[in-house]
Amino acid sequence: MKRLSALLSLVIAVAPLGFSLPQDDAAALNQQAASGDPNAQVRLGMKYALAVPRNVRESMRWFRLAADQGYADGQYRLGGMYDVAQSPQNPTEAIKWYTLAAKQGHKDAEYRLGVMYDQGRGTSKDYAEAAKWYAKAGEQGRPEAQYRLGEMYEQGLGVAQSYPNAMKWYLMAAQKGRAEAEYKVGYLYEKGLGTSPSRTDALAWYQKSSAHGYPDATDAVKALSEQ
C-alpha cells in the first residue's frame, strides 16, 4: 500500500485533467498518441497508469515513446514508473530519466532527483547534489523541495549551515500551507534563529500548523500559552 500511495502521488502530481473521457475523445487521444504527439502519449500513458487494474507495461510503453522524443513530462513519468511502479524497482534507470527531464527544468523531476541523491537511491548519497536540485525545484514553487532545503540549511547538510536561509525556505513552504514548515517557522521565531525572536509570530505560525494537524505544533501552542 505504501508503494501504491507513492506511485499515485508521483504520477498525479502534474497530471493533465480529463482522463474520464467520452468514447469519441478516447479514440481521438489514441489516434493522436499513435501519430506521435508526445503530449497525447503521456496522457494515454496516464490512463493506463491510473486504470483499475493498472497496466504498468502499457503505461511505460507510451511514456517511453514520449520520453524518446525528448519530451520532459514523458521522461519524468517514465522515471517515476521505474522508481516506484515497476516490480522490482529500478532506481538507477529512474535517475537517468529524471535527470533528462530535470535538465529541461521540469520541477517535479528536479524534486525527485533531489530525493534520489538525498536518500542514496540508485546512486551514492550526495547531500550537495540533492540540495542543488531541491533549490531548482523550490525556486519553481515545489513546497516539498522548499521544506527539505530548509532542513538542510538548518542542519548544514550539503550546504553551509544557515538559519537565515533555513527560514527563507521554510517560510516559502509554510506560505503554501505545509504544516511541518509552518511549525519550523514558528520554532525559528520562538528561538530567534535566523530572525529576531518574536513570541507573537511564533505562536501565530504554531497555530497555523496545529490547525493543519501537526501534533508538535499543538504542543508548542500549549507550551507558549502557558508561559
Side-chain angles (χ1 to χ4, degrees), residues 47-61:
K47 287 189 67 175
Y48 285 111
L50 299 176
V52 180
R54 183 179 303 106
N55 189 331
V56 172
R57 178 178 294 181
E58 196 65 8
S59 177
M60 291 182 74
R61 183 172 80 87

Side-chain angles (χ1 to χ4, degrees), residues 48-131:
Y48 285 111
L50 299 176
V52 180
R54 183 179 303 106
N55 189 331
V56 172
R57 178 178 294 181
E58 196 65 8
S59 177
M60 291 182 74
R61 183 172 80 87
W62 287 106
F63 289 154
R64 182 176 287 276
L65 285 170
D68 284 343
Q69 295 187 65
Y71 192 62
D73 200 39
Q75 294 166 340
Y76 161 69
R77 296 189 189 279
L78 182 59
M81 300 299 280
Y82 279 115
D83 190 3
V84 296
Q86 181 181 272
S87 183
Q89 288 85 32
N90 188 337
T92 302
E93 192 70 8
I95 284 180
K96 166 188 168 181
W97 293 105
Y98 285 153
T99 300
L100 289 170
K103 286 182 176 179
Q104 295 192 63
H106 193 293
K107 69 178 180 180
D108 299 286
E110 290 168 345
Y111 169 67
R112 288 301 305 173
L113 192 55
V115 170
M116 302 301 269
Y117 283 109
D118 198 356
Q119 298 179 352
R121 272 180 55 77
T123 184
S124 299
K125 185 174 288 193
D126 187 334
Y127 288 132
E129 193 70 9

